[in-house]
């Protein structure tokens, strides 16, 4: 059941009261060349800010505060990943360091004729196990399967972001991965409001570093 219209109006006014206009009115991601992506990033950022302000207004504690932190970490981590993915794979795809992200070493089985294989089997074994002839090759990795920490480290190597910011983004993203309850229990990760504050406060330095890099290239 929806809130009364006046209450809805009051809640939105409360959420917007302390939000700087430049945060919620557009140009935060003006350096993103994909207009649709830039719009989605802005929506994610506004969602994070509005939800934080509303839960702050409720003086969220205990389980609700944990939800407040999780929402912030999830949304900000998603923004960081989407920006780095766009810059690396859309803007800098031909850079050898980016190309390397989509390659991995693999062992490729050698096809041996059946007659020769029978002879090899007599000699190729170890500790009772059959040895299969292979050679070292290179496999292609889909860009969507590249780990975030690899993207962040590549971005730092190229000079898109600093090493210090890279380390912090990896930490935030690791917290995002632990949002699954079983992972949280296994890692014994303690969610604190300070973590969501840091995820937010790194956004502008991140934006400035990426934008400045793209302006130089």
């Amino acid at each position: 059941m929806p809130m009364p219209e006046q209450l809805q109006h009051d809640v939105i006014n409360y959420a917007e009261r302390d939000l700087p206009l430049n945060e919620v009115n557009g140009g935060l991601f003006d350096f993103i060349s994909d207009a649709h992506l830039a719009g989605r990033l802005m929506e994610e950022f506004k969602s994070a800010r509005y939800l934080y302000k509303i839960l702050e207004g409720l003086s969220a504690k205990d389980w609700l505060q944990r939800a407040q932190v999780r929402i912030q970490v999830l949304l900000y981590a998603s923004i960081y990943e989407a920006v780095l993915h766009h810059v690396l794979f859309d803007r800098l795809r031909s850079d050898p360091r980016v190309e390397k992200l989509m390659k991995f070493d693999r062992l490729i089985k050698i096809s041996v004729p059946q007659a020769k294989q029978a002879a090899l089997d007599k000699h190729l074994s170890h500790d009772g196990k059959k040895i299969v002839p292979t050679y070292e090759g290179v496999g292609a990795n889909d860009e969507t399967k590249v780990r975030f920490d690899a993207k962040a480290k590549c971005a730092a190597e190229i000079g898109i972001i600093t090493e210090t910011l890279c380390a912090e983004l990896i930490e935030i993203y690791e917290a995002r991965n632990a949002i699954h309850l079983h992972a949280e229990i296994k890692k014994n990760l303690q969610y604190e409001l300070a973590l969501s504050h840091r995820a937010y406060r790194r956004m502008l330095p991140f934006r400035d570093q990426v934008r400045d890099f793209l302006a130089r290239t």
Side-chain angles (χ1 to χ4, degrees), residues 179-197:
I179 281 175
H180 302 289
L181 288 180
H182 286 293
E184 179 191 346
I185 293 168
K186 184 176 180 180
K187 293 183 179 182
N188 195 29
L189 180 62
Q190 298 298 316
Y191 284 95
E192 297 178 355
L193 199 56
L195 180 61
S196 66
H197 287 165

Side-chain angles (χ1 to χ4, degrees), residues 115-126:
K116 291 185 178 180
Q117 184 65 56
L120 286 173
D121 288 344
K122 295 179 181 179
H123 305 286
L124 293 179
S125 64
H126 175 71

Side-chain angles (χ1 to χ4, degrees), residues 48-49 52 65-77 80 172 175 190-203:
R49 297 299 289 141
Y52 174 81
Q65 188 181 67
R66 189 180 306 119
Q68 180 184 19
V69 171
R70 289 180 172 191
I71 291 168
Q72 300 298 296
V73 170
L74 177 62
L75 291 174
Y76 289 129
Y80 290 131
I172 291 167
Q190 298 298 316
Y191 284 95
E192 297 178 355
L193 199 56
L195 180 61
S196 66
H197 287 165
R198 190 146 55 95
Y200 161 63
R201 288 170 182 158
R202 296 303 174 269
M203 186 59 65

Side-chain angles (χ1 to χ4, degrees), residues 95-114:
D95 187 295
R97 291 161 292 190
V98 176
E99 291 179 340
K100 189 177 179 182
L101 289 175
M102 294 183 287
K103 297 177 182 177
F104 62 94
D105 296 331
R106 59 175 294 200
L107 293 176
I108 301 173
K109 183 179 178 180
I110 298 173
S111 180
V112 179
Q114 188 172 0

Side-chain angles (χ1 to χ4, degrees), residues 5-217:
E5 188 173 336
Q6 182 58 49
L7 182 54
Q8 293 180 33
H9 181 74
D10 291 343
V11 170
I12 293 298
N13 279 347
Y14 175 84
E16 292 181 342
R17 186 183 65 189
D18 298 323
L19 291 178
L21 290 178
N22 66 321
E23 281 195 356
V24 294
N25 283 347
L28 196 62
F29 302 102
D30 57 2
F31 60 93
I32 299 292
S33 57
D34 182 333
H36 177 71
L37 175 60
R40 286 289 289 113
L41 290 169
M42 198 64 230
E43 289 175 359
E44 292 295 292
F45 183 78
K46 287 170 68 173
S47 297
R49 297 299 289 141
Y50 270 70
L51 290 172
Y52 174 81
K53 288 295 182 182
I54 291 171
L55 290 172
E56 181 186 47
L58 292 173
S59 297
K61 293 181 176 60
D62 301 323
W63 59 270
L64 188 56
Q65 188 181 67
R66 189 180 306 119
Q68 180 184 19
V69 171
R70 289 180 172 191
I71 291 168
Q72 300 298 296
V73 170
L74 177 62
L75 291 174
Y76 289 129
S78 297
I79 292 171
Y80 290 131
E81 180 175 39
V83 171
L84 288 183
H85 189 97
H86 168 74
V87 174
L88 291 173
F89 296 114
D90 292 342
R91 304 287 292 272
L92 302 173
R93 193 177 190 87
S94 61
D95 187 295
R97 291 161 292 190
V98 176
E99 291 179 340
K100 189 177 179 182
L101 289 175
M102 294 183 287
K103 297 177 182 177
F104 62 94
D105 296 331
R106 59 175 294 200
L107 293 176
I108 301 173
K109 183 179 178 180
I110 298 173
S111 180
V112 179
Q114 188 172 0
K116 291 185 178 180
Q117 184 65 56
L120 286 173
D121 288 344
K122 295 179 181 179
H123 305 286
L124 293 179
S125 64
H126 175 71
D127 197 21
K129 298 179 179 66
K130 178 181 176 180
I131 295 176
V132 178
T134 62
Y135 67 92
E136 292 182 347
V138 177
N141 203 8
D142 188 277
E143 66 186 52
T144 60
K145 298 205 172 121
V146 178
R147 289 169 52 98
F148 178 80
D149 57 348
K151 295 177 189 176
K153 289 174 183 176
C154 181
E157 182 184 357
I158 292 173
I160 302 170
I161 58 175
T162 65
E163 294 283 353
T164 300
L165 183 56
C166 170
E168 290 193 282
L169 296 186
I170 290 173
E171 183 182 358
I172 291 167
Y173 202 83
E174 286 176 348
R176 174 258 189 200
N177 286 342
I179 281 175
H180 302 289
L181 288 180
H182 286 293
E184 179 191 346
I185 293 168
K186 184 176 180 180
K187 293 183 179 182
N188 195 29
L189 180 62
Q190 298 298 316
Y191 284 95
E192 297 178 355
L193 199 56
L195 180 61
S196 66
H197 287 165
R198 190 146 55 95
Y200 161 63
R201 288 170 182 158
R202 296 303 174 269
M203 186 59 65
L204 287 183
F206 172 75
R207 187 278 307 266
D208 291 343
Q209 289 180 27
V210 175
R211 187 167 61 179
D212 291 348
F213 171 83
L214 292 175
R216 298 192 305 267
T217 57

